[in-house]
Amino acid sequence: MWSLVFVGLSFAVYLTIAWRSRVKETKGFYVAGQGIPAVANGAAVAADWMSAASFISMAGLIAFMGSDGSVYLMGWTGGYVLLALLLAPYLRKWGKFTVPEFVGDRYSEYVRLIAAVAAIIVSFTYVVGQMRGGGIVFSRFLDLSIEGGVAVAAAVIFLYAVLGGMKGITWTQVAQYTVMIVAYLIPAWTIAQKMTGFPVPQVTFGQILGELDALSEKFGLAHYTEAFAARPQIDVFLVTMSLMIGTAGLPHVIIRFYTTKSVRGARFSAFWALSFIGLLYTTAPAVGAFTKLNLMQSVDGVAVGSLPAWVNNWAATGLVTVSDSASTVTSLSNDPESGADLIVNNDILVLATPEIAGLPAPIVGLVAAGGLAAAMSTAAGLLLVISSSVSHDLYFRVVKKEASESQRLLVGRIAMGAAVVVAIYGGINPPAYVAQVVAFAFGLAASTFFPILVLGIFWKRANAIGAAAGMVTGLVFTASYMIYTLDVFGTSANEHVLGISPEGIGAIGALVNLIVTVVVSRLTAPPSEHIQEMVEGIRYPARRVEAPASE
């Protein structure tokens, strides 16, 4: 009942905002009329950024990966520093609607086409994780199957994204950030007070780590505090780097900085976004530790027939499994192939936190609303990138250059609908956990967009042939490795080469992209003088004119 109350109220707010913000022109649909204040845009960026991966899955991954899970914290926050320093102000000054549009102006129209296709691939990969996250919430709290939950989440996201475009999405995301952060912090504060006597989880969860390590060992798990237990040291570095530069290259994040009133507003948006994101990201390790300890204490040595109610509640979704052969729970894992007595999917840990900790029912409902806010806020932004890439960069620029605004909006909305259908399938059959699927999208963005954007701003010699060769090489290399190491498209998974995971291969792909772009650009003709002057123009606000020397 409480889940329905909180979810219903929050949905009513989101749809009201979308309806009141509906637009009829492309500028409002794609960049919100470039009139969003910096603080509001920062909150919208944070909501767009703190997707189902951050809210639903990250603390669960950290709980089972331990200190190695810090790659997600370092990568996803550090990337915003790169974005604020290297890209956002310059791209905002360039003044275009989309990343492919910047690429097209900076390099050429055929490079724009490559960038538009790459933006669609990256956004599709990312939106699959959001649909999966929304499906998990609906399946648990509305007593639906995963398939039904994904379909309901997709329908709601499509409705408000198609109504208001970027303007509606932005103001909806401000509301979603509020719901999300309140839903995350209240249970964390409550559990910290309950377990340590002080309601600040960031500074108190260290008190329980000794007990957590001891119980982890008892259940056959690596210690929470043990470094490099879940992945090799080289992969920790590569995943962190991939997430950082992937953040700075994500089309749906970069487009946010086109919605501000000025270049100065773009800089301050990045500052506010980091502040808002930090509230959740500094809390996630504590949530993972507290919840994992509560979980193990509640099932330690308990007979299978007497397990807590939360186990049966989540078992109905298929995301928690109890071994048929076990009489009592003596082993725990997040790996379905492990054969453990109790198998818990990473993605349920945050949503199940209030139930596991025995918190009041209203908090359970609040967390459900927060999880949906996280999934829907990011999915809406991703759908807009797909829409703009299809209608603005492909249809308008390639197919029908004389298309009217109403025709472009119609094509954009049709593209959103098609994207939702594909995303529903991916959400029902994801290749990995939510946070891992999202990490794949970051790797693809890192290997495709980041090198050519940075070179396009800071190296005048980068040309169209080099950019095209670099993008295609980086994308093909990274996607091929991901498919090789994952069970995708019916292929069998293979061992990681040199210990490099598919989440970390994007850093190598970015390096390949960079080398190919530089080498090919050096071997071919430089860009025109006009392009080189444009590049100078976005880096330097105005040329200084020396005063004439006095006689």
Side-chain angles (χ1 to χ4, degrees):
M1 183 190 71
W2 281 108
S3 298
L4 289 174
V5 168
F6 280 106
V7 170
L9 286 174
S10 59
F11 276 23
V13 172
Y14 305 154
L15 293 174
T16 299
I17 293 173
W19 178 259
R20 293 178 64 87
S21 304
R22 61 192 186 279
V23 295
K24 296 181 179 179
E25 73 285 348
T26 53
K27 190 173 183 180
F29 191 78
Y30 293 128
V31 292
Q34 294 185 325
I36 305 298
V39 176
N41 199 55
V45 170
D48 205 355
W49 176 244
M50 293 189 305
S51 63
S54 294
F55 188 98
I56 295 175
S57 190
M58 184 170 62
L61 276 174
I62 293 173
F64 283 99
M65 291 176 63
S67 63
D68 291 356
S70 62
V71 295
Y72 295 97
L73 301 173
M74 295 185 295
W76 283 337
T77 51
Y80 258 98
V81 178
L82 293 180
L83 183 61
L85 293 177
L86 296 180
L87 296 179
Y90 306 106
L91 294 177
R92 174 62 181 84
K93 187 180 178 184
W94 196 277
K96 298 300 180 180
F97 280 6
T98 66
V99 171
E101 194 166 24
F102 165 78
V103 171
D105 283 0
R106 171 60 180 85
Y107 296 107
S108 71
E109 285 298 313
Y110 72 84
V111 182
R112 179 204 301 272
L113 182 62
I114 296 171
V117 173
I120 293 170
I121 293 172
V122 170
S123 298
F124 264 130
T125 305
Y126 204 153
V127 83
V128 162
Q130 311 318 304
M131 292 301 179
R132 178 68 173 182
I136 289 171
V137 179
F138 277 120
S139 67
R140 165 65 185 88
F141 295 106
L142 296 182
D143 292 326
L144 298 173
S145 64
I146 284 289
E147 293 81 1
V150 170
V152 172
V156 174
I157 293 165
F158 175 73
L159 180 61
Y160 78 74
V162 100
L163 276 176
M166 180 60 85
K167 185 178 179 181
I169 288 171
T170 298
W171 289 110
T172 300
Q173 286 174 334
V174 174
Q176 286 170 330
Y177 174 78
T178 305
V179 172
M180 192 190 318
I181 201 64
V182 169
Y184 206 85
L185 293 180
I186 286 180
W189 291 338
T190 306
I191 294 171
Q193 174 67 38
K194 185 177 178 180
M195 297 185 70
T196 67
F198 191 68
V200 183
Q202 294 91 337
V203 298
T204 58
F205 82 99
Q207 298 178 25
I208 67 164
L209 294 183
E211 186 178 1
L212 181 58
D213 281 346
L215 267 177
S216 294
E217 184 175 352
K218 183 177 180 180
F219 275 91
L221 300 170
H223 287 185
Y224 186 87
T225 56
E226 182 181 351
F228 314 124
R231 58 176 79 238
Q233 188 171 358
I234 182 63
D235 196 47
V236 169
F237 171 79
L238 290 175
V239 173
T240 304
M241 183 60 65
S242 181
L243 295 177
M244 284 182 66
I245 60 179
T247 298
L250 277 175
H252 84 285
V253 173
I254 292 173
I255 198 174
R256 281 283 168 205
F257 297 96
Y258 295 137
T259 65
T260 59
K261 297 179 180 180
S262 63
V263 175
R264 185 171 182 269
R267 290 184 186 274
F268 274 94
S269 288
F271 166 77
W272 284 112
L274 268 174
S275 301
F276 293 136
I277 290 167
L279 285 175
L280 188 145
Y281 273 47
T282 56
T283 310
V287 171
F290 284 134
T291 304
K292 185 179 180 183
L293 181 60
N294 273 328
L295 188 159
M296 291 190 294
Q297 288 176 336
S298 69
V299 301
D300 184 18
V302 175
V304 169
S306 304
L307 287 170
W310 69 263
V311 174
N312 294 325
N313 291 339
W314 283 98
T317 68
L319 300 175
V320 169
T321 306
V322 182
S323 172
D324 294 332
S325 60
S327 57
T328 60
V329 175
T330 58
S331 59
L332 170 71
S333 178
N334 63 335
D335 180 8
E337 305 298 325
S338 65
D341 297 336
L342 181 65
I343 297 171
V344 178
N345 189 294
N346 289 335
D347 294 338
I348 76 153
L349 220 63
V350 169
L351 296 173
T353 290
E355 295 174 86
I356 295 171
L359 299 183
I363 296 182
V364 177
L366 182 62
V367 171
L372 287 175
M376 293 191 302
S377 61
T378 302
L382 293 166
L383 290 175
L384 196 69
V385 168
I386 295 171
S387 170
S388 63
S389 296
V390 172
S391 67
H392 192 70
D393 296 305
L394 297 180
Y395 178 74
F396 178 57
R397 294 287 182 174
V398 178
V399 178
K400 191 175 182 181
K401 294 185 178 181
E402 69 278 6
S404 64
E405 286 211 351
S406 60
Q407 290 174 320
R408 289 154 60 189
L409 282 175
L410 177 61
V411 170
R413 285 167 170 152
I414 292 172
M416 271 192 186
V420 165
V421 172
V422 177
I424 288 173
Y425 175 80
I428 294 171
N429 302 285
Y433 296 118
V434 171
Q436 289 175 303
V437 174
V438 169
F440 302 154
F442 281 75
L444 294 172
S447 62
T448 307
F449 290 112
F450 183 75
I452 63 155
L453 291 176
V454 172
L455 290 174
I457 293 169
F458 295 101
W459 191 44
K460 296 186 293 183
R461 187 65 174 75
N463 63 17
I465 299 175
M471 288 180 70
V472 171
T473 305
L475 179 62
V476 170
F477 170 82
T478 304
S480 299
Y481 186 83
M482 288 179 178
I483 294 171
Y484 174 79
T485 53
L486 293 166
D487 184 10
V488 181
F489 307 130
T491 61
S492 57
N494 293 284
E495 292 293 325
H496 297 172
V497 178
L498 301 177
I500 301 172
S501 67
E503 299 100 293
I505 195 62
I508 305 295
L511 181 61
V512 170
N513 181 336
L514 180 71
I515 292 172
V516 170
T517 302
V518 170
V519 170
V520 174
S521 294
R522 282 291 187 188
L523 295 176
T524 51
S528 66
E529 288 294 326
H530 172 65
I531 293 294
Q532 296 189 48
E533 288 176 4
M534 290 172 67
V535 174
E536 287 282 341
I538 64 169
R539 287 194 313 222
Y540 304 107
R543 293 190 179 279
R544 300 178 65 180
V545 179
E546 298 291 338
S550 57
E551 296 183 1

